[in-house]
Amino acid sequence: MVILGHVEQDSYSYYKYRNNDPTAVLTVTLTQSFGDPDLFIDTHVGDEKPIFPTIHYGTFIWSSRRSYSNDVIVIKYDDPQFCVGCDYLLAVYGYKNSSYTLSITSAEDEVIHLLHDRPQRLLLPHGGM
């Protein structure tokens, strides 16, 4: 998923990303064209109205606030806050008026670490390892 966006100073742009892969490695990249956008991510499960993250502590799980540089957050399936069958809520905050490209990629890790008390399922192509 790739999104071109713009956010005004002291404002937010919000996005949702659904994850259904139990062994995913999610990479969220925020590339600034100009300005200084920052990235905040939280999760949401259930049917209640989601509360999107903000710059305030306690409203997000992951954040990247690099000044005038690309923000990258990698969330692996073995992260204690990783969730399956849920939405990842993303907030792009404009520290200054900003244009950006937001991309989210999901790949399976090359080595799958089995997690205690958590069932694992993986489909492999014929002859795969």
mmCIF file of all heavy atoms in Angstrom, residues 1-7 13 15 27-41 64 69-73 90-93 97-105:
data_model
loop_
_atom_site.group_PDB
_atom_site.id
_atom_site.type_symbol
_atom_site.label_atom_id
_atom_site.label_comp_id
_atom_site.label_asym_id
_atom_site.label_seq_id
_atom_site.Cartn_x
_atom_site.Cartn_y
_atom_site.Cartn_z
ATOM 1 N N MET A 1 0.847 -1.163 0.000
ATOM 2 C CA MET A 1 0.000 0.000 0.000
ATOM 3 C C MET A 1 0.900 1.235 0.000
ATOM 4 O O MET A 1 1.803 1.359 0.821
ATOM 5 C CB MET A 1 -0.889 -0.024 1.243
ATOM 6 C CG MET A 1 -1.730 1.208 1.420
ATOM 7 S SD MET A 1 -2.933 1.080 2.763
ATOM 8 C CE MET A 1 -2.010 1.810 4.091
ATOM 9 N N VAL A 2 0.646 2.144 -0.925
ATOM 10 C CA VAL A 2 1.397 3.391 -1.010
ATOM 11 C C VAL A 2 0.412 4.548 -1.098
ATOM 12 O O VAL A 2 -0.527 4.511 -1.895
ATOM 13 C CB VAL A 2 2.337 3.406 -2.231
ATOM 14 C CG1 VAL A 2 3.052 4.739 -2.348
ATOM 15 C CG2 VAL A 2 3.353 2.277 -2.140
ATOM 16 N N ILE A 3 0.622 5.556 -0.275
ATOM 17 C CA ILE A 3 -0.275 6.718 -0.221
ATOM 18 C C ILE A 3 0.570 7.979 -0.345
ATOM 19 O O ILE A 3 1.583 8.121 0.339
ATOM 20 C CB ILE A 3 -1.040 6.736 1.115
ATOM 21 C CG1 ILE A 3 -1.923 5.517 1.238
ATOM 22 C CG2 ILE A 3 -1.847 8.019 1.262
ATOM 23 C CD1 ILE A 3 -2.455 5.277 2.626
ATOM 24 N N LEU A 4 0.134 8.886 -1.212
ATOM 25 C CA LEU A 4 0.722 10.218 -1.274
ATOM 26 C C LEU A 4 -0.160 11.128 -0.450
ATOM 27 O O LEU A 4 -1.380 11.126 -0.620
ATOM 28 C CB LEU A 4 0.791 10.716 -2.716
ATOM 29 C CG LEU A 4 1.618 9.864 -3.681
ATOM 30 C CD1 LEU A 4 1.509 10.412 -5.093
ATOM 31 C CD2 LEU A 4 3.065 9.802 -3.242
ATOM 32 N N GLY A 5 0.431 11.897 0.461
ATOM 33 C CA GLY A 5 -0.388 12.709 1.347
ATOM 34 C C GLY A 5 0.211 14.060 1.650
ATOM 35 O O GLY A 5 1.372 14.346 1.341
ATOM 36 N N HIS A 6 -0.622 14.887 2.270
ATOM 37 C CA HIS A 6 -0.222 16.212 2.725
ATOM 38 C C HIS A 6 -0.890 16.443 4.077
ATOM 39 O O HIS A 6 -2.040 16.061 4.287
ATOM 40 C CB HIS A 6 -0.673 17.283 1.730
ATOM 41 C CG HIS A 6 -0.346 18.675 2.188
ATOM 42 N ND1 HIS A 6 0.914 19.219 2.049
ATOM 43 C CD2 HIS A 6 -1.098 19.610 2.807
ATOM 44 C CE1 HIS A 6 0.912 20.440 2.556
ATOM 45 N NE2 HIS A 6 -0.301 20.709 3.032
ATOM 46 N N VAL A 7 -0.152 17.062 4.981
ATOM 47 C CA VAL A 7 -0.707 17.392 6.289
ATOM 48 C C VAL A 7 -0.233 18.796 6.659
ATOM 49 O O VAL A 7 0.911 19.157 6.424
ATOM 50 C CB VAL A 7 -0.310 16.339 7.361
ATOM 51 C CG1 VAL A 7 1.182 16.297 7.597
ATOM 52 C CG2 VAL A 7 -1.062 16.539 8.656
ATOM 53 N N SER A 13 -3.168 13.385 9.612
ATOM 54 C CA SER A 13 -3.824 12.571 8.593
ATOM 55 C C SER A 13 -3.836 11.157 9.159
ATOM 56 O O SER A 13 -2.830 10.692 9.707
ATOM 57 C CB SER A 13 -3.057 12.607 7.272
ATOM 58 O OG SER A 13 -3.144 13.876 6.681
ATOM 59 N N TYR A 15 -4.888 6.867 8.936
ATOM 60 C CA TYR A 15 -5.026 5.712 8.050
ATOM 61 C C TYR A 15 -5.230 4.462 8.895
ATOM 62 O O TYR A 15 -4.831 4.409 10.061
ATOM 63 C CB TYR A 15 -3.766 5.543 7.192
ATOM 64 C CG TYR A 15 -3.408 6.784 6.424
ATOM 65 C CD1 TYR A 15 -2.488 7.706 6.949
ATOM 66 C CD2 TYR A 15 -3.995 7.074 5.201
ATOM 67 C CE1 TYR A 15 -2.173 8.859 6.255
ATOM 68 C CE2 TYR A 15 -3.676 8.228 4.503
ATOM 69 C CZ TYR A 15 -2.769 9.111 5.035
ATOM 70 O OH TYR A 15 -2.451 10.254 4.363
ATOM 71 N N THR A 27 6.423 -3.286 7.687
ATOM 72 C CA THR A 27 7.342 -2.160 7.580
ATOM 73 C C THR A 27 6.550 -0.943 7.128
ATOM 74 O O THR A 27 5.957 -0.944 6.051
ATOM 75 C CB THR A 27 8.478 -2.457 6.572
ATOM 76 O OG1 THR A 27 9.151 -3.651 6.976
ATOM 77 C CG2 THR A 27 9.471 -1.299 6.519
ATOM 78 N N VAL A 28 6.516 0.070 7.979
ATOM 79 C CA VAL A 28 5.804 1.308 7.684
ATOM 80 C C VAL A 28 6.864 2.381 7.445
ATOM 81 O O VAL A 28 7.677 2.654 8.323
ATOM 82 C CB VAL A 28 4.873 1.711 8.849
ATOM 83 C CG1 VAL A 28 4.095 2.965 8.496
ATOM 84 C CG2 VAL A 28 3.935 0.559 9.214
ATOM 85 N N THR A 29 6.844 2.969 6.248
ATOM 86 C CA THR A 29 7.836 3.964 5.872
ATOM 87 C C THR A 29 7.141 5.273 5.531
ATOM 88 O O THR A 29 6.230 5.297 4.704
ATOM 89 C CB THR A 29 8.665 3.482 4.664
ATOM 90 O OG1 THR A 29 9.224 2.210 4.956
ATOM 91 C CG2 THR A 29 9.780 4.474 4.341
ATOM 92 N N LEU A 30 7.559 6.335 6.168
ATOM 93 C CA LEU A 30 7.050 7.682 5.905
ATOM 94 C C LEU A 30 8.201 8.481 5.308
ATOM 95 O O LEU A 30 9.179 8.784 5.989
ATOM 96 C CB LEU A 30 6.555 8.327 7.201
ATOM 97 C CG LEU A 30 6.004 9.743 7.101
ATOM 98 C CD1 LEU A 30 4.725 9.770 6.265
ATOM 99 C CD2 LEU A 30 5.746 10.306 8.479
ATOM 100 N N THR A 31 8.079 8.785 4.017
ATOM 101 C CA THR A 31 9.122 9.516 3.299
ATOM 102 C C THR A 31 8.632 10.933 3.058
ATOM 103 O O THR A 31 7.613 11.130 2.390
ATOM 104 C CB THR A 31 9.431 8.830 1.955
ATOM 105 O OG1 THR A 31 9.767 7.465 2.196
ATOM 106 C CG2 THR A 31 10.593 9.528 1.248
ATOM 107 N N GLN A 32 9.335 11.909 3.574
ATOM 108 C CA GLN A 32 8.905 13.299 3.437
ATOM 109 C C GLN A 32 9.367 13.855 2.102
ATOM 110 O O GLN A 32 10.491 13.630 1.684
ATOM 111 C CB GLN A 32 9.415 14.143 4.605
ATOM 112 C CG GLN A 32 10.918 14.136 4.778
ATOM 113 C CD GLN A 32 11.551 15.460 4.405
ATOM 114 O OE1 GLN A 32 10.881 16.393 4.010
ATOM 115 N NE2 GLN A 32 12.859 15.516 4.528
ATOM 116 N N SER A 33 8.460 14.565 1.415
ATOM 117 C CA SER A 33 8.815 15.296 0.207
ATOM 118 C C SER A 33 9.287 16.685 0.596
ATOM 119 O O SER A 33 10.257 17.201 0.065
ATOM 120 C CB SER A 33 7.613 15.403 -0.734
ATOM 121 O OG SER A 33 7.190 14.123 -1.135
ATOM 122 N N PHE A 34 8.530 17.301 1.505
ATOM 123 C CA PHE A 34 8.972 18.543 2.132
ATOM 124 C C PHE A 34 8.286 18.660 3.477
ATOM 125 O O PHE A 34 7.321 17.985 3.765
ATOM 126 C CB PHE A 34 8.712 19.780 1.250
ATOM 127 C CG PHE A 34 7.272 20.198 1.164
ATOM 128 C CD1 PHE A 34 6.700 21.034 2.112
ATOM 129 C CD2 PHE A 34 6.485 19.764 0.113
ATOM 130 C CE1 PHE A 34 5.369 21.416 2.029
ATOM 131 C CE2 PHE A 34 5.153 20.144 0.020
ATOM 132 C CZ PHE A 34 4.591 20.963 0.972
ATOM 133 N N GLY A 35 8.811 19.530 4.335
ATOM 134 C CA GLY A 35 8.254 19.684 5.675
ATOM 135 C C GLY A 35 8.860 18.678 6.632
ATOM 136 O O GLY A 35 9.943 18.149 6.404
ATOM 137 N N ASP A 36 8.132 18.396 7.695
ATOM 138 C CA ASP A 36 8.604 17.468 8.720
ATOM 139 C C ASP A 36 7.428 16.688 9.307
ATOM 140 O O ASP A 36 6.911 17.033 10.360
ATOM 141 C CB ASP A 36 9.342 18.235 9.833
ATOM 142 C CG ASP A 36 9.981 17.304 10.854
ATOM 143 O OD1 ASP A 36 10.096 16.094 10.571
ATOM 144 O OD2 ASP A 36 10.345 17.782 11.938
ATOM 145 N N PRO A 37 6.987 15.605 8.624
ATOM 146 C CA PRO A 37 5.920 14.776 9.189
ATOM 147 C C PRO A 37 6.489 13.747 10.164
ATOM 148 O O PRO A 37 7.630 13.321 10.041
ATOM 149 C CB PRO A 37 5.344 14.077 7.949
ATOM 150 C CG PRO A 37 6.509 13.954 7.017
ATOM 151 C CD PRO A 37 7.366 15.174 7.276
ATOM 152 N N ASP A 38 5.687 13.377 11.152
ATOM 153 C CA ASP A 38 6.048 12.344 12.121
ATOM 154 C C ASP A 38 4.984 11.251 12.099
ATOM 155 O O ASP A 38 3.837 11.496 11.743
ATOM 156 C CB ASP A 38 6.159 12.935 13.528
ATOM 157 C CG ASP A 38 7.328 13.899 13.646
ATOM 158 O OD1 ASP A 38 8.377 13.637 13.062
ATOM 159 O OD2 ASP A 38 7.180 14.928 14.337
ATOM 160 N N LEU A 39 5.373 10.041 12.527
ATOM 161 C CA LEU A 39 4.516 8.865 12.411
ATOM 162 C C LEU A 39 4.219 8.268 13.779
ATOM 163 O O LEU A 39 5.131 8.078 14.590
ATOM 164 C CB LEU A 39 5.216 7.832 11.526
ATOM 165 C CG LEU A 39 4.550 6.502 11.284
ATOM 166 C CD1 LEU A 39 3.204 6.687 10.565
ATOM 167 C CD2 LEU A 39 5.457 5.606 10.453
ATOM 168 N N PHE A 40 2.937 7.942 14.019
ATOM 169 C CA PHE A 40 2.492 7.324 15.270
ATOM 170 C C PHE A 40 1.556 6.168 14.926
ATOM 171 O O PHE A 40 0.692 6.303 14.052
ATOM 172 C CB PHE A 40 1.760 8.346 16.144
ATOM 173 C CG PHE A 40 2.620 9.536 16.476
ATOM 174 C CD1 PHE A 40 2.681 10.623 15.633
ATOM 175 C CD2 PHE A 40 3.393 9.534 17.619
ATOM 176 C CE1 PHE A 40 3.486 11.708 15.919
ATOM 177 C CE2 PHE A 40 4.211 10.610 17.913
ATOM 178 C CZ PHE A 40 4.257 11.693 17.063
ATOM 179 N N ILE A 41 1.709 5.031 15.618
ATOM 180 C CA ILE A 41 0.914 3.838 15.314
ATOM 181 C C ILE A 41 0.355 3.237 16.596
ATOM 182 O O ILE A 41 1.054 3.125 17.606
ATOM 183 C CB ILE A 41 1.761 2.775 14.584
ATOM 184 C CG1 ILE A 41 2.375 3.360 13.304
ATOM 185 C CG2 ILE A 41 0.916 1.538 14.266
ATOM 186 C CD1 ILE A 41 3.324 2.419 12.600
ATOM 187 N N SER A 64 7.808 7.360 15.371
ATOM 188 C CA SER A 64 9.063 7.776 14.779
ATOM 189 C C SER A 64 8.972 9.273 14.556
ATOM 190 O O SER A 64 8.064 9.755 13.878
ATOM 191 C CB SER A 64 9.325 7.042 13.464
ATOM 192 O OG SER A 64 10.563 7.454 12.918
ATOM 193 N N SER A 69 13.819 13.709 7.903
ATOM 194 C CA SER A 69 14.357 12.448 7.419
ATOM 195 C C SER A 69 13.209 11.455 7.298
ATOM 196 O O SER A 69 12.092 11.719 7.733
ATOM 197 C CB SER A 69 15.403 11.927 8.406
ATOM 198 O OG SER A 69 15.956 10.720 7.953
ATOM 199 N N ASN A 70 13.473 10.304 6.702
ATOM 200 C CA ASN A 70 12.459 9.268 6.570
ATOM 201 C C ASN A 70 12.215 8.604 7.924
ATOM 202 O O ASN A 70 13.153 8.355 8.676
ATOM 203 C CB ASN A 70 12.895 8.215 5.557
ATOM 204 C CG ASN A 70 13.040 8.792 4.171
ATOM 205 O OD1 ASN A 70 12.506 9.859 3.865
ATOM 206 N ND2 ASN A 70 13.764 8.103 3.318
ATOM 207 N N ASP A 71 10.947 8.315 8.212
ATOM 208 C CA ASP A 71 10.572 7.593 9.419
ATOM 209 C C ASP A 71 10.258 6.154 9.015
ATOM 210 O O ASP A 71 9.479 5.936 8.084
ATOM 211 C CB ASP A 71 9.334 8.227 10.061
ATOM 212 C CG ASP A 71 9.612 9.621 10.604
ATOM 213 O OD1 ASP A 71 10.464 9.722 11.489
ATOM 214 O OD2 ASP A 71 8.976 10.576 10.146
ATOM 215 N N VAL A 72 10.847 5.193 9.709
ATOM 216 C CA VAL A 72 10.605 3.779 9.423
ATOM 217 C C VAL A 72 10.310 3.067 10.728
ATOM 218 O O VAL A 72 11.059 3.191 11.699
ATOM 219 C CB VAL A 72 11.816 3.120 8.724
ATOM 220 C CG1 VAL A 72 11.552 1.646 8.483
ATOM 221 C CG2 VAL A 72 12.153 3.822 7.421
ATOM 222 N N ILE A 73 9.211 2.308 10.734
ATOM 223 C CA ILE A 73 8.860 1.482 11.886
ATOM 224 C C ILE A 73 8.667 0.059 11.388
ATOM 225 O O ILE A 73 7.892 -0.172 10.455
ATOM 226 C CB ILE A 73 7.581 1.989 12.575
ATOM 227 C CG1 ILE A 73 7.802 3.399 13.135
ATOM 228 C CG2 ILE A 73 7.145 1.022 13.683
ATOM 229 C CD1 ILE A 73 6.557 4.032 13.707
ATOM 230 N N LEU A 90 -2.781 4.472 11.989
ATOM 231 C CA LEU A 90 -1.610 5.289 11.721
ATOM 232 C C LEU A 90 -1.992 6.758 11.725
ATOM 233 O O LEU A 90 -3.022 7.129 11.151
ATOM 234 C CB LEU A 90 -1.014 4.936 10.360
ATOM 235 C CG LEU A 90 -0.413 3.543 10.232
ATOM 236 C CD1 LEU A 90 -1.464 2.523 9.911
ATOM 237 C CD2 LEU A 90 0.640 3.552 9.172
ATOM 238 N N ALA A 91 -1.174 7.557 12.370
ATOM 239 C CA ALA A 91 -1.353 9.008 12.373
ATOM 240 C C ALA A 91 -0.079 9.643 11.836
ATOM 241 O O ALA A 91 1.015 9.336 12.301
ATOM 242 C CB ALA A 91 -1.640 9.523 13.784
ATOM 243 N N VAL A 92 -0.245 10.495 10.841
ATOM 244 C CA VAL A 92 0.867 11.298 10.344
ATOM 245 C C VAL A 92 0.622 12.707 10.862
ATOM 246 O O VAL A 92 -0.409 13.319 10.565
ATOM 247 C CB VAL A 92 0.949 11.281 8.812
ATOM 248 C CG1 VAL A 92 2.063 12.196 8.331
ATOM 249 C CG2 VAL A 92 1.159 9.860 8.297
ATOM 250 N N TYR A 93 1.546 13.189 11.667
ATOM 251 C CA TYR A 93 1.426 14.506 12.283
ATOM 252 C C TYR A 93 2.339 15.486 11.557
ATOM 253 O O TYR A 93 3.502 15.171 11.283
ATOM 254 C CB TYR A 93 1.816 14.427 13.758
ATOM 255 C CG TYR A 93 1.872 15.770 14.450
ATOM 256 C CD1 TYR A 93 0.706 16.440 14.789
ATOM 257 C CD2 TYR A 93 3.083 16.368 14.751
ATOM 258 C CE1 TYR A 93 0.741 17.675 15.423
ATOM 259 C CE2 TYR A 93 3.136 17.595 15.385
ATOM 260 C CZ TYR A 93 1.961 18.248 15.714
ATOM 261 O OH TYR A 93 2.006 19.463 16.331
ATOM 262 N N ASN A 97 4.023 22.166 7.813
ATOM 263 C CA ASN A 97 3.298 21.766 6.618
ATOM 264 C C ASN A 97 4.161 20.759 5.868
ATOM 265 O O ASN A 97 5.345 21.012 5.627
ATOM 266 C CB ASN A 97 3.001 22.971 5.723
ATOM 267 C CG ASN A 97 1.970 23.894 6.327
ATOM 268 O OD1 ASN A 97 1.305 23.564 7.318
ATOM 269 N ND2 ASN A 97 1.816 25.072 5.744
ATOM 270 N N SER A 98 3.573 19.617 5.505
ATOM 271 C CA SER A 98 4.379 18.526 4.968
ATOM 272 C C SER A 98 3.645 17.777 3.870
ATOM 273 O O SER A 98 2.435 17.583 3.935
ATOM 274 C CB SER A 98 4.722 17.531 6.080
ATOM 275 O OG SER A 98 5.347 18.154 7.168
ATOM 276 N N SER A 99 4.411 17.334 2.893
ATOM 277 C CA SER A 99 3.952 16.364 1.903
ATOM 278 C C SER A 99 4.804 15.116 2.082
ATOM 279 O O SER A 99 5.984 15.207 2.435
ATOM 280 C CB SER A 99 4.090 16.903 0.481
ATOM 281 O OG SER A 99 3.117 17.875 0.241
ATOM 282 N N TYR A 100 4.213 13.952 1.822
ATOM 283 C CA TYR A 100 4.908 12.710 2.135
ATOM 284 C C TYR A 100 4.369 11.565 1.291
ATOM 285 O O TYR A 100 3.307 11.659 0.661
ATOM 286 C CB TYR A 100 4.732 12.370 3.620
ATOM 287 C CG TYR A 100 3.291 12.279 4.043
ATOM 288 C CD1 TYR A 100 2.570 11.096 3.912
ATOM 289 C CD2 TYR A 100 2.628 13.390 4.553
ATOM 290 C CE1 TYR A 100 1.231 11.026 4.286
ATOM 291 C CE2 TYR A 100 1.305 13.330 4.928
ATOM 292 C CZ TYR A 100 0.613 12.145 4.786
ATOM 293 O OH TYR A 100 -0.707 12.086 5.153
ATOM 294 N N THR A 101 5.108 10.482 1.328
ATOM 295 C CA THR A 101 4.670 9.193 0.810
ATOM 296 C C THR A 101 4.672 8.227 1.984
ATOM 297 O O THR A 101 5.678 8.118 2.693
ATOM 298 C CB THR A 101 5.612 8.677 -0.294
ATOM 299 O OG1 THR A 101 5.670 9.641 -1.339
ATOM 300 C CG2 THR A 101 5.124 7.344 -0.845
ATOM 301 N N LEU A 102 3.547 7.550 2.195
ATOM 302 C CA LEU A 102 3.421 6.566 3.264
ATOM 303 C C LEU A 102 3.283 5.201 2.609
ATOM 304 O O LEU A 102 2.406 5.008 1.757
ATOM 305 C CB LEU A 102 2.191 6.867 4.125
ATOM 306 C CG LEU A 102 1.889 5.891 5.261
ATOM 307 C CD1 LEU A 102 2.978 5.938 6.327
ATOM 308 C CD2 LEU A 102 0.536 6.204 5.877
ATOM 309 N N SER A 103 4.153 4.270 2.973
ATOM 310 C CA SER A 103 4.042 2.918 2.419
ATOM 311 C C SER A 103 4.041 1.901 3.551
ATOM 312 O O SER A 103 4.708 2.077 4.572
ATOM 313 C CB SER A 103 5.178 2.622 1.435
ATOM 314 O OG SER A 103 6.404 2.555 2.101
ATOM 315 N N ILE A 104 3.262 0.854 3.338
ATOM 316 C CA ILE A 104 3.182 -0.246 4.298
ATOM 317 C C ILE A 104 3.398 -1.527 3.515
ATOM 318 O O ILE A 104 2.692 -1.787 2.539
ATOM 319 C CB ILE A 104 1.816 -0.293 5.006
ATOM 320 C CG1 ILE A 104 1.541 1.029 5.707
ATOM 321 C CG2 ILE A 104 1.782 -1.456 6.001
ATOM 322 C CD1 ILE A 104 0.141 1.135 6.257
ATOM 323 N N THR A 105 4.386 -2.299 3.927
ATOM 324 C CA THR A 105 4.623 -3.591 3.294
ATOM 325 C C THR A 105 4.534 -4.674 4.359
ATOM 326 O O THR A 105 4.849 -4.452 5.525
ATOM 327 C CB THR A 105 6.011 -3.651 2.615
ATOM 328 O OG1 THR A 105 7.016 -3.403 3.590
ATOM 329 C CG2 THR A 105 6.113 -2.629 1.497
#
